Amino acid sequence: MGYVIGILLGLLAAGFLLFFFFRKRRKPVVEPEAPLPPTMVELLAQNVPYYASLPDEKQPVFAERVNQFLANVTIEGVDTEVTDVDKVLVASSAVIPVFAFDDWQYPNLTNVVLYDSTFNEKTFETEGADRRTMGLVGTGGALQSSMALSKSALLNGFLNKTSKENTGIHEFVHLLDKVDGEIDGAPERMMPKEHLQPWLRLMHETMQQMETGRTDINPYGLTNEAEFFAVVSEYFFKRPDLLKQKHPELFEQLELIFKQNPTTERKVLEGDEGF
């Protein structure tokens, strides 16, 4: 009997530690000193189709979320200027996937580093061979709280309206995937437990289809489960009508994960709670 009680107490302690880890590690939130400047709100309207498609009453909410992100995360350039457009696009990339989750802040993200173009994943050099990386999320050491993005890829993700790719959203989805402790394509904290196994099954079925070439999904999603999740999330937010038409099951699962339907005017599903 004492042995059983000891096990139960151990499980309760482990549960408490997990709760503490996920709920208390969030850095203190810095509130913006002023509203987002009108010039930057205009940049949102001009450069972020997701924002422009929101109903009038939700656009100020999105702008405030962008403003709060910029108050809490430093955006800096390496041998390149950081413009207001860059800031708006980075912040929008962060806000779009979590727009249904009120008060969400990316834990442990302190800065986003912009490179003018693609860079070397290991050396971060912007000249020479093997410069194929467009975005990277830090996973340890000095890069733990950082994200690196190519400015050209960031801009193309928003300005090229016919593609299914958006590098900024891709990298922030990796951060969301990381919240449960592992970047593995299974965002356990974003979805009800009963939907996890159907998501994993659909993910692997779709990856098998991709191996035969019978799909229009970016083949980079075959790299691993984490990249698959990020790739189809880009598709979900960038070309939702096309994804819903060609991959209705994927669309439905991503709708459950992000608690959004980008094909509707209101975007956010009513009655859903955040993390």
Side-chain angles (χ1 to χ4, degrees):
M1 184 67 176
Y3 177 74
V4 173
I5 293 174
I7 292 176
L8 291 174
L9 289 174
L11 290 173
L12 286 172
F16 174 78
L17 287 174
L18 284 172
F19 176 86
F20 182 83
F21 177 82
F22 286 122
R23 291 295 184 183
K24 299 300 183 182
R25 287 189 69 198
R26 296 185 179 184
K27 58 185 183 295
V29 176
V30 176
E31 294 299 331
E33 295 181 356
L36 193 69
T39 53
M40 296 186 77
V41 174
E42 183 61 28
L43 290 176
L44 275 174
Q46 293 172 353
N47 297 284
V48 182
Y50 180 98
Y51 168 85
S53 68
L54 287 172
D56 292 344
E57 71 272 16
K58 288 195 174 181
Q59 288 185 349
V61 178
F62 189 95
E64 180 54 31
R65 296 281 291 275
V66 164
N67 197 29
Q68 188 170 63
F69 178 89
L70 294 175
N72 284 272
V73 178
T74 300
I75 303 174
E76 52 194 336
V78 175
D79 297 326
T80 188
E81 178 188 3
V82 176
T83 68
D84 283 348
V85 172
D86 298 328
K87 293 178 182 178
V88 160
L89 296 186
V90 170
S92 294
S93 300
V95 172
I96 288 170
V98 295
F99 193 51
F101 303 99
D102 294 337
D103 301 323
W104 170 252
Q105 298 292 319
Y106 287 89
N108 296 334
L109 179 67
T110 58
N111 66 304
V112 175
V113 180
L114 298 182
Y115 293 86
D116 192 54
S117 188
T118 53
F119 53 91
N120 184 295
E121 181 175 344
K122 294 181 179 179
T123 65
F124 293 92
E125 293 178 354
T126 56
E127 297 181 357
D130 198 21
R131 294 183 298 107
R132 295 173 293 182
T133 303
M134 296 185 290
L136 186 67
V137 171
T139 56
L143 297 176
Q144 177 67 32
S145 302
S146 301
M147 175 186 292
L149 289 171
S150 156
K151 277 182 59 171
S152 58
L154 176 69
L155 289 167
N156 187 61
F158 284 93
L159 300 184
N160 186 343
K161 295 180 175 60
T162 61
S163 79
K164 309 179 193 79
E165 288 82 43
N166 185 298
T167 297
I169 290 176
H170 182 109
E171 296 305 323
F172 278 101
V173 166
H174 278 323
L175 281 186
L176 294 176
D177 191 6
K178 186 181 177 184
V179 170
D180 60 16
E182 190 173 2
I183 304 178
D184 58 1
E188 297 182 34
R189 299 233 18 253
M190 295 183 68
M191 60 195 308
K193 290 183 179 179
E194 62 268 24
H195 293 304
L196 182 59
Q197 287 305 316
W199 164 248
L200 293 175
R201 182 170 58 251
L202 179 61
M203 175 167 59
H204 290 122
E205 288 175 356
T206 307
M207 291 176 77
Q208 289 177 354
Q209 294 172 7
M210 292 169 66
E211 289 175 347
T212 67
R214 294 184 291 114
T215 173
D216 65 335
I217 297 171
N218 186 343
Y220 186 64
L222 279 173
T223 305
N224 52 46
E225 288 85 351
E227 296 301 345
F228 175 86
F229 177 46
V231 161
V232 296
S233 296
E234 295 176 75
Y235 195 161
F236 178 73
F237 287 110
K238 190 77 181 292
R239 298 291 306 278
D241 291 317
L242 190 61
L243 181 67
K244 188 173 184 178
Q245 173 192 339
K246 295 196 170 188
H247 309 278
E249 288 184 89
L250 264 180
F251 184 92
E252 183 179 348
Q253 286 294 325
L254 292 168
E255 186 179 21
L256 289 170
I257 291 172
F258 293 108
K259 295 180 172 52
Q260 296 189 56
N261 182 337
T263 66
T264 65
E265 179 182 325
R266 298 198 62 78
K267 299 289 190 295
V268 174
L269 302 181
E270 299 298 333
D272 282 301
E273 297 180 358
F275 280 81

